[in-house]
């Protein structure tokens, strides 16, 4: 199977944007998952629903909201452009932002469930021995929640790779700049005589998504086995 330079470029951009999306959502995702797992407060159901909203909203709506908020004339985008010279719409960085927003709920949900499975008594015991909250989190909570972190990270990466609606709305479909694998496939479908190229990209998309899911399952099981082996000693 021979791919054209444009198709290779779409794959490269997809991987770049997917990795960038995961990189920027990882720190806030860990913090939000821990917060939801360990604290009870008024309005928690609303906050949880707000975080998971991108899963049920049409992606185009998310992209439109990003355009309003982070566009050059947007609420935050105007400040970013005037103060820092940063313009996110129609750039690969903007595509990473859109993909990250769509993938964020998957990361938070997987990690939150994993943190909730960690026995709070272990954290309490460490605190009584003088460990700070940060040390308890980094030495007990997070290591025990690693399977969920790995699963959520890989799922978020796979979701970022497949993002279409929010990306095309916020970052457009610019060849060599924001045209990811889904956008390239969409373009080929709309172009007469490109059925073979569209089939190639469709096959590649399926393979990449399947490998991501397999990797997520393998990493989670491998990490869980290592934790069990460590506890056995």
């Amino acid at each position: 199977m021979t791919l054209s330079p444009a198709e290779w470029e779409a794959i490269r951009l997809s991987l770049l944007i997917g990795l960038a999306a995961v990189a920027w959502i990882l720190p806030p995702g860990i913090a939000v998952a821990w917060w939801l797992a360990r604290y009870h407060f008024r309005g928690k159901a609303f906050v949880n629903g707000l975080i998971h909203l991108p899963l049920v909203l049409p992606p185009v709506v998310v992209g439109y909201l990003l355009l309003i908020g982070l566009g050059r004339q947007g609420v935050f985008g105007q400040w970013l452009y005037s103060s820092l010279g940063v313009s996110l719409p129609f750039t690969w960085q903007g595509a990473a932002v859109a993909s990250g927003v769509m993938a964020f709920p998957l990361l938070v949900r997987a990690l939150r469930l994993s943190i909730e499975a960690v026995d709070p008594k272990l954290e309490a015991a460490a605190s009584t021995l003088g460990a700070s909250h940060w040390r308890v989190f980094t030495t007990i909570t997070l290591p025990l929640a690693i399977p969920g972190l790995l699963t959520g990270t890989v799922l978020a990466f796979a979701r970022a790779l497949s993002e279409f609606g929010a990306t095309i709305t916020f970052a457009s479909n610019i060849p060599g700049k924001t045209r990811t694998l889904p956008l390239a496939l969409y373009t080929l479908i709309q172009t007469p005589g490109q059925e073979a190229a569209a089939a190639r990209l469709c096959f590649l998309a399926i393979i990449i998504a399947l490998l991501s899911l397999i990797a997520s399952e393998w990493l989670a099981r491998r990490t869980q086995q290592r934790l069990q082996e460590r506890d056995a000693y």
Side-chain angles (χ1 to χ4, degrees):
M1 182 172 60
T2 304
L3 299 176
S4 67
E7 292 167 348
W8 279 116
E9 181 65 16
I11 294 172
R12 185 192 69 83
L13 272 175
S14 294
L15 295 175
L16 173 64
I17 289 170
L19 290 172
V22 171
W24 85 258
I25 67 172
L26 202 53
I30 293 173
V32 169
W34 174 79
W35 180 48
L36 291 176
R38 286 293 181 256
Y39 286 90
H40 299 280
F41 52 88
R42 288 182 180 273
K44 182 177 179 179
F46 174 77
V47 173
N48 189 53
L50 195 63
I51 291 169
H52 289 81
L53 202 56
L55 291 179
V56 294
L57 275 178
V60 175
V61 173
V62 176
Y64 177 69
L65 292 175
L66 288 174
L67 204 56
I68 292 176
L70 296 177
R72 285 193 181 183
Q73 301 302 318
V75 179
F76 303 105
Q78 189 173 12
W79 176 84
L80 285 174
Y81 184 68
S82 60
S83 301
L84 304 176
V86 175
S87 179
L88 291 175
F90 315 116
T91 64
W92 74 265
Q93 293 91 342
V97 169
S99 298
V101 169
M102 297 301 297
F104 188 73
L106 294 176
L107 172 63
V108 170
R109 185 168 183 81
L111 184 53
R112 177 191 173 184
L113 293 174
S114 192
I115 292 176
E116 288 176 342
V118 177
D119 190 352
K121 294 179 181 178
L122 296 174
E123 300 170 330
S127 296
T128 58
L129 294 174
S132 64
H133 291 298
W134 175 250
R135 188 170 183 181
V136 170
F137 176 74
T138 55
T139 60
I140 295 177
T141 309
L142 191 59
L144 292 176
I146 283 294
L149 177 61
L150 292 175
T151 300
T153 300
V154 175
L155 288 177
F157 176 70
R159 181 64 184 86
L161 282 180
S162 64
E163 172 49 35
F164 176 82
T167 301
I168 198 171
T169 305
F170 184 60
S172 191
N173 183 12
I174 306 173
K177 195 172 183 182
T178 63
R179 180 172 290 176
T180 58
L181 185 59
L183 297 180
L185 178 57
Y186 172 78
T187 302
L188 290 173
I189 292 174
Q190 302 298 313
T191 306
Q194 294 297 323
E195 291 80 7
R200 285 198 303 270
L201 288 187
C202 180
F203 177 75
L204 283 173
I206 293 173
I207 294 299
I208 293 173
L210 186 59
L211 289 176
S212 298
L213 293 174
I214 293 173
S216 172
E217 183 68 19
W218 182 83
L219 286 172
R221 289 186 178 183
R222 183 64 177 169
T223 306
Q224 189 65 39
Q225 289 174 358
R226 289 187 176 182
L227 289 174
Q228 291 173 353
E229 291 172 359
R230 187 189 66 179
D231 293 339
Y233 286 106

